[in-house]
Each structure stands twice: as C-alpha cells, then as structure tokens.
Amino acid sequence: MPLHYPLSAVVAPQVGQRDDMTLALILTTISPEVGGVLVRGEKGTAKSTTVRALASVLPPIEVVAGDRFASAPGDTSPDGPGPDNRWPLEAETETRPVRLVELPVGATEDRVLGSLHLSKVLADGVAEYEPGLLARAHRGILYVDEVNLLHDHLVDLLLDAAAMGRSTVERDGVSVAHAARFVLVGTMNPEEGELRPQLLDRFGLTVEIAAPRDPQLRAEVVRRRLAFDADPTAFVASYADAERALTDRIVAARKLLPEVELTDAVLTKVAEVCAAFEVDGMRADIVTTRTAIAHAAWHGRTHVTRADIRQAALLALPHRRRRNPFDAPGLDEDLLDQVLGDEEPDPEPPAPQGPEGGADESDESGFETGAERPPQPTDGAERPPQPTEGEDGGSDGAGDGDRPDQPTSEDEGLVTGAERPPRPTMESVVGSAAPYQVRRFEVTGTGAGESGKRSRALTTNGRRIGAEPQGEKHGSLHLVETIRAAAPHQRARGRTDGRLVFHDSDLRTARREGREANLVLFCVDASGSMAARKRMEQVKTAILSLLLDAYQRRDKVGLVTFRADSADVALPPTHSVDIAAKRLADLPAGGRTPLAEGLLTAVEVLRVEKVRDPRRRPLLIVITDGRATHGPDAVNRSRAAAGWIAEHGISAVVVDCEQGPMRLGLAGQLAAAMQATHLPIAEVSAQALAGVARVA
C-alpha cells in the first residue's frame, strides 16, 4: 500500500490559508452533515495532497465482514439477511481504515451508481446489482479532483446522495437502495471554469487557497517534498506522533459533538449573519450552525462562542453570496464583525448568565475577540514561522496587465470612419450594461463531443435512438438489442436448457442523442469605427450576454480582438468565462480595422484547438461592422479569409454592429462570404427575437 504525504507535514502557504483548508476538512469529518468541502485554488497548491492525507488521520471503522456496502451492525443493506435486510447487532465485524474513493472526471453514470453485473446476467440469467463508487465510498471520503470539469448530471448525483445519505438505483431491471453517507470533497482550479451557483450551494464549506509567496515557505515546501520522495517511510515515521495527535483530537471531538449546547441566542446570531449577507434559502443557516457546533467540539467546548460562529460564516457563506456567474466568491469580514458584535452568545439555554463565561471559554480555546483565523491543529512543531508582512494571496491576478499597447501617432492619423475627431490617444475603454438572455446559436450537424447544452450530439446521456456493438465503448447496456443479436445463433451455439447463450459479440450499447458543449470563439472588432461610446457599450453588453449563455451551456470560450494594425488572442480557449469577462471589461477601442488579420488569427486558434480537443466542435462569433481599412487590398484579403472559413465548414455567426440611417451592409456581405448567420446586434437578445416573431 503506497504511503501518503502526512497531513501534519503540509506547509501553510500564508497566514490562515492552509489552516482554513485543513480545518474545513476536519470539521466536515467530525460532522458529516455539514455537507462536504469545495477547495478552490490555483494549480500546484497541494489540494490533492492534503485531501489524500486526510484519510490517514481518520480513526478506523468497524464494518460487517463480507458486506459490500461497508455497513455497521444494525444497519440495513442489500446484502443484509432477513426480510428487512438488516444486519444483526451481533454480526461478525472487521476493522479497516476509512476509504478514500477517487472519482475520475471521465467516469460514467453506471460506474458511479452501479449497474447490472453483466457476466452473471449473461452467463447465469441472474439480475444481480454490482455496486458503484457511491457504495464503495459509504462511511468514507469521496474525492473529486477538478470537480468543475465533471459532467453536470454526475455532479447532481453526487450532491443529492451526499445530501440524502442514500443512493437509489432504478435502471436496467434493477431496483436497489443503499446507504451512501460520505464526506464529499471537491477541488478545482477557477481558471478552468466555475461551478454553477446552484451546485456551489450544495457544498457545505468552501476554501480559497494560493501558493506561498514567502521564499522561506516555498523553500520549506520543496525541502519536505524532496525528503518525502527520498525516503517515504522515514518521513512518515517522523510525523507519526503529530498524526496520532490529530486522530485522537478528531475522536474526542466526535464524542463531544452531541453534548454541545445550541442556544436560541446562537441561532438568532447565525440568522442575523445570514440575513445581513442576503444569502438565498435556508441551507446557509443550517450549514453555518452545524459548522459552528463542530468547531466548538473541535476546540473542546460544550457551548458555541462568537469565534465559532465567525469561523463557520467564513467557511460556509462566501460561495453562497454568488448570485451572478461573474460574481467572485467572497465575504466582507468588516461587515461580519459588525453583525457579530462584541458580546458572546448566551451559553446557558434557560436564561442569560452574562458574557464573561463565554469570553473566558473563547480565550481558553485560543480565540480572541475579532480573531481572523483559527489556531493551527496540533500537528507538531515542525512548521516554520508564519509570515506577517500582510500577504493576502486572495487573487491570482488573472486578467491584469493585458491591455494592448497604446497606439502610435501614425495609427491615430489613419482612423477611417471614426465618430469623433482625433485626440492625443484614440483608445477608449467603455463599460457594459446588464447582460440579457440571448437566442441560442448551434453548430450545424450532429457531433460527438462532451455533454453540454448547446448543439445536437451523440452523448452518453440523453434520449435513446438506437443501439450499436459495444466494441471498446462502455455505455449502458441495451438489453433488448443484445437479446435480438444473440437470438439467431442459439441453435448453432447448442442451446439445450432453455437459457440464451451469449457471446461478447452480442453485446449492444444504447445509442443516445443529447446536447454537447462547444468552443465558442469571439472575434471582436475593437477599431475606431466601433469606438463610439454607445456602440461599444452595446457590443460589450452583447458579448457579456453571450458569455453568460456559454457559461450556462458549459462551453469553452476564447477571445480574439483586432484593432490598429494587428489581431491579438486576448484569451486562449478556456472553461473560465469569468476571465473572459475581465478581459472584455478592459478592452480598449481605437485605430484602423485589420479585419483580415482578425479572421486569420481566429482560424489559427481554431486549428490549434482542433488538435488539442478534436471532439469539441467550434462556433465562431464575429462581432464587427464589416469594415476593412488596414493594409493594401484590405477588402479582398478579408473576403479571402472569409472564404477559407466557409470552405472548411466552420459554423459562424456575424453580429452586425453597423447602425444609423446610412448603412453600407458590409457585415452582411462578410456573412455571405463566410456562409454564416447574419444577425444585427439588436436581435441578439432572445426577447428581441420573440418580438420579431410576434410581429410576423
């Protein structure tokens, strides 16, 4: 069995950050009803290392010997004896470590929920259920790395099972229900895209982490990692006492948890905090309360203090304040302190006894009034001193410093069709209005990409439209078609006892049609002819609305801009529409219109992405007024680039930004050359489209 890096050896990157992650993981193992942990952070910040190390400090569990569902004596289980499937209290047990079950991003629904045991169905005619990952993770930890890249329907299954503590399977002639109580831990890099706000809310706690900025801490991280890789056994042994202390403290906290008193004053204070931050629903109140109770038990107290509520709010509320996909998670700690006030909640349920008792207990636990972070777990004295220079690390700086260079005086003198007289600089940065719902654009034909919500495709989920030989594919079994394939060969196979004789070549999997996610590449004209404030605001609002639509449909997005004498890839294809929105906000306008360069740069981005991700089909959205004013023979070069796009069958939309009574119709000509959909910018809105339909 491979050795895991010790939890107590993980170096805190900055004051409180790694402590918050470790604390959140420990609190949710003390009280699994908290609902799991989502860890957000940049790559290379030991997210996976910390999660895998957690299992080694959890106390072992007793399970019924031979039970496939890790049941305890007295629990119901599909393997349990008797009519009620309940194991007797005197059942033989065995002790084993807590399991850490890792769910791959590419897992299928059958693998997660479980399915028919195919070999027994085909060989013996017995419909037996084969447990999936949810059953294996019962009473353990289910870890999903890069949870933001997991298919939405699988995330829904995981979170529903985590909330209900039970998994029910009704499929392929199997009806099974089994316990599935586990600690759900997800890690993600926000640069690869965000989870939907509805899914964020289903995680009990969330933590933001970043790599250390202090050189001494970075050196200590490398030193410990090299020591572990050189001799894992000796390194783990050196932290054995610290690991054992963590285990003992978790056991003590679990025993103390039922004794922690929850007073009306605590409930009222939690409600005041949640109301002050305007979180939706009641899940935030419930999770914050449970976390505060677990935090009190972790510090050996039988009553909840102000410090417990504060720490619980810092872990449970930031991601629940995110109402818009472009809103960054966060919490105003000054407002939190203002709502909490200076007085401790009453520790006695019957009547107030004065604040001094709670304050003393808080001091004993290591919390002072207004303390920003909890003390580190008792994980040994090997940690280096923490920096105090005021590092925050709360932002990775994505999107900063990406403004194009200032135009030269030559650029300023060559602006064609500019709507204002020349100034010392022709650059202007205009904001956008609130986004709106847009009409749906699709890639033509039927694809076979990743599941999403945009274009038609053959996917692993969706409506069943046929069957195909299994081959190397692993999908849901199409039982009727499998029997139909085997039936003509029964006499040749020597069928004698009434049972069908199956071969592997008979297996048929369901062919399903659903929706796929696409690559939506924006090619945006930021030249002088677009620089009028009203027009650029309209353009940015339309792009922001299209980005919101791409976020909801789980697309990858990219951004190419062209102005002056060149085109730039402002954002390579990514799942993070947040970063695209930031780049859009800083997009300046001014200069000539290098339309041909913009189209060719977009084509090159699509070519490279085709090599990286061949199954994901692209949708090119060109936002321009159709003018081409840069370079010799600019118009013909633009038409040639448009013809190349049409020749290669790239699905495209030209959003026409031309306005006013005197229109040249150049964007329409560009759309015709590209064989693309031509759409005036005013008709991007779904509401405007509905208005046109009503008039017609």
Side-chain angles (χ1 to χ4, degrees):
M1 182 176 179
L3 294 175
H4 291 295
Y5 195 88
L7 182 63
S8 54
V10 177
V11 177
Q14 298 187 95
V15 175
Q17 285 196 352
R18 180 63 58 199
D19 295 336
D20 275 358
M21 179 178 175
T22 304
L23 180 66
L25 293 172
I26 289 176
L27 293 182
T28 197
T29 56
I30 293 173
S31 178
E33 293 81 6
V34 165
V37 181
L38 175 65
V39 182
R40 298 161 42 92
E42 58 196 25
K43 53 187 175 291
T45 49
K47 299 186 296 293
S48 300
T49 299
T50 305
V51 175
R52 293 188 179 103
L54 174 66
S56 61
V57 301
L58 296 180
I61 59 174
E62 284 194 3
V63 300
V64 175
D67 183 78
R68 296 177 299 167
F69 299 88
S71 303
D75 290 349
T76 58
S77 166
D79 289 350
D84 61 349
N85 292 339
R86 185 177 299 276
W87 286 104
L89 295 175
E90 62 275 7
E92 182 182 355
T93 62
E94 58 184 7
T95 301
R96 65 164 176 77
V98 171
R99 283 176 179 164
L100 174 69
V101 179
E102 297 193 35
L103 174 62
V105 171
T108 63
E109 187 174 336
D110 290 345
R111 188 71 187 96
V112 175
L113 290 177
S115 61
L116 281 172
H117 197 297
L118 288 182
S119 62
K120 292 190 177 181
V121 169
L122 299 179
D124 304 329
V126 178
E128 182 174 320
Y129 171 70
E130 185 175 14
L133 294 178
L134 293 183
R136 181 173 175 78
H138 178 48
R139 301 177 68 193
I141 301 171
L142 184 62
Y143 173 45
V144 188
D145 192 15
E146 303 294 350
V147 66
N148 52 326
L149 302 184
L150 198 65
H151 294 316
D152 287 347
H153 69 286
L154 292 183
V155 177
D156 292 337
L157 291 176
L158 294 182
L159 298 180
D160 286 343
M164 303 299 295
R166 197 162 191 80
S167 176
T168 302
V169 182
E170 298 282 352
R171 59 187 305 164
D172 299 329
V174 172
S175 178
V176 174
H178 63 83
R181 296 187 300 274
F182 50 81
V183 175
L184 178 62
V185 180
T187 57
M188 59 174 282
N189 182 355
E191 293 180 358
E192 293 296 327
E194 292 284 355
L195 284 174
R196 302 194 314 265
Q198 296 89 337
L199 299 183
L200 276 174
D201 184 61
R202 299 299 296 272
F203 280 95
L205 310 178
T206 186
V207 180
E208 296 270 353
I209 63 171
R213 302 293 184 244
D214 182 87
Q216 293 183 356
L217 288 179
R218 297 177 74 95
E220 182 64 20
V221 170
V222 175
R223 186 180 299 112
R224 295 188 186 187
R225 186 71 217 189
L226 293 179
F228 174 78
D229 292 340
D231 191 348
T233 303
F235 186 85
V236 170
S238 66
Y239 284 89
D241 292 341
E243 297 285 280
R244 195 176 304 110
L246 275 175
T247 302
D248 294 342
R249 190 174 176 185
I250 292 173
V251 172
R254 287 179 174 178
K255 292 180 179 178
L256 187 62
L257 188 69
E259 302 177 17
V260 178
E261 298 175 350
L262 182 62
T263 66
D264 289 340
V266 170
L267 287 174
T268 302
K269 186 61 68 176
V270 170
E272 290 175 356
V273 170
C274 294
F277 286 101
E278 299 180 347
V279 294
D280 294 330
M282 296 300 300
R283 185 174 285 118
D285 302 63
I286 297 171
V287 171
T288 304
T289 302
R290 287 173 171 167
T291 306
I293 294 173
H295 190 266
W298 172 243
H299 287 280
R301 294 191 298 271
T302 57
H303 64 275
V304 178
T305 68
R306 174 185 178 276
D308 298 323
I309 300 175
R310 188 182 196 282
Q311 184 60 54
L314 289 173
L315 296 175
L317 298 187
H319 59 301
R320 292 188 166 85
R321 300 193 66 243
R322 191 176 188 207
R323 300 167 181 268
N324 188 299
F326 303 127
D327 292 342
L331 205 66
D332 185 346
E333 296 192 26
D334 292 335
L335 176 59
L336 177 60
D337 291 332
Q338 181 180 348
V339 175
L340 286 174
D342 296 329
E343 296 184 358
E344 291 287 348
D346 174 27
E348 298 295 334
Q353 300 296 325
E356 58 275 4
D360 292 341
E361 288 294 325
S362 178
D363 291 340
E364 290 174 8
S365 70
F367 281 91
E368 297 178 0
T369 302
E372 297 261 337
R373 303 287 178 179
Q376 297 181 9
T378 54
D379 52 0
E382 292 83 354
R383 292 180 183 249
Q386 303 298 316
T388 58
E389 293 83 10
E391 302 166 323
D392 54 29
S395 171
D396 58 7
D400 295 336
D402 293 304
R403 295 174 179 262
D405 295 336
Q406 299 289 329
T408 63
S409 57
E410 180 183 4
D411 292 333
E412 295 167 10
L414 296 174
V415 176
T416 301
E419 283 124 332
R420 60 185 67 185
R423 294 181 296 181
T425 174
M426 289 300 297
E427 279 194 356
S428 61
V429 178
V430 180
S432 62
Y436 48 77
Q437 184 180 1
V438 301
R439 58 189 296 183
R440 185 172 72 187
F441 302 107
E442 296 185 21
V443 178
T444 57
T446 302
E450 300 293 336
S451 295
K453 297 181 180 180
R454 183 172 296 277
S455 306
R456 292 177 54 193
L458 299 177
T459 59
T460 56
N461 61 320
R463 64 187 184 93
R464 192 159 57 187
I465 60 173
E468 57 188 355
Q470 186 178 45
E472 298 296 328
K473 300 180 179 179
H474 296 282
S476 58
L477 179 69
H478 198 309
L479 191 57
V480 173
E481 292 298 329
T482 299
I483 294 174
R484 183 177 295 174
H489 308 289
Q490 295 306 298
R491 180 175 296 179
R493 294 173 182 175
R495 174 183 172 186
T496 57
D497 58 355
R499 295 183 178 180
L500 289 174
V501 180
F502 290 93
H503 287 175
D504 290 343
S505 60
D506 300 328
L507 293 178
R508 298 292 186 271
T509 56
R511 195 165 181 259
R512 300 179 180 274
E513 183 179 272
R515 294 279 174 180
E516 68 175 357
N518 298 109
L519 166 61
V520 180
L521 181 63
F522 295 91
C523 186
V524 182
D525 185 348
S527 63
S529 62
M530 305 285 290
R533 176 169 295 275
K534 183 176 181 181
R535 180 181 298 186
M536 202 60 195
E537 178 181 331
Q538 192 176 16
V539 168
K540 287 192 174 183
T541 303
I543 300 174
L544 193 65
S545 303
L546 290 165
L547 282 172
L548 178 60
D549 181 68
Y551 169 86
Q552 294 169 340
R553 301 188 188 281
R554 313 305 291 164
D555 295 319
K556 289 180 76 172
V557 296
L559 180 61
V560 172
T561 64
F562 56 94
R563 57 180 294 274
D565 59 355
S566 64
D568 298 312
V569 181
L571 179 69
T574 175
H575 284 282
S576 179
V577 297
D578 295 350
I579 298 178
K582 293 177 183 177
R583 302 289 170 87
L584 176 66
D586 292 336
L587 177 65
R592 288 185 169 187
T593 309
L595 179 58
E597 284 76 4
L599 296 178
L600 293 175
T601 300
V603 166
E604 178 63 16
V605 171
L606 295 180
R607 186 192 67 80
V608 173
E609 193 64 18
K610 181 69 174 178
V611 176
R612 292 177 177 171
D613 193 355
R615 296 179 60 205
R616 191 180 297 271
R617 297 188 297 161
L619 175 63
L620 176 63
I621 299 181
V622 182
I623 302 176
T624 181
D625 58 7
R627 299 184 184 184
T629 62
H630 169 72
D633 205 13
V635 175
N636 288 332
R637 289 191 302 114
S638 300
R639 289 176 179 172
W644 193 96
I645 292 174
E647 180 183 348
H648 286 76
I650 299 174
S651 296
V653 177
V654 176
V655 178
D656 189 350
C657 302
E658 190 175 31
Q659 296 176 341
M662 300 295 293
R663 302 189 183 186
L664 301 177
L666 298 177
Q669 297 175 22
L670 176 66
M674 292 172 58
Q675 297 182 9
T677 301
H678 174 247
L679 187 70
I681 192 170
E683 296 181 16
V684 173
S685 167
Q687 184 177 3
L689 178 65
V692 172
R694 282 194 296 269
V695 172

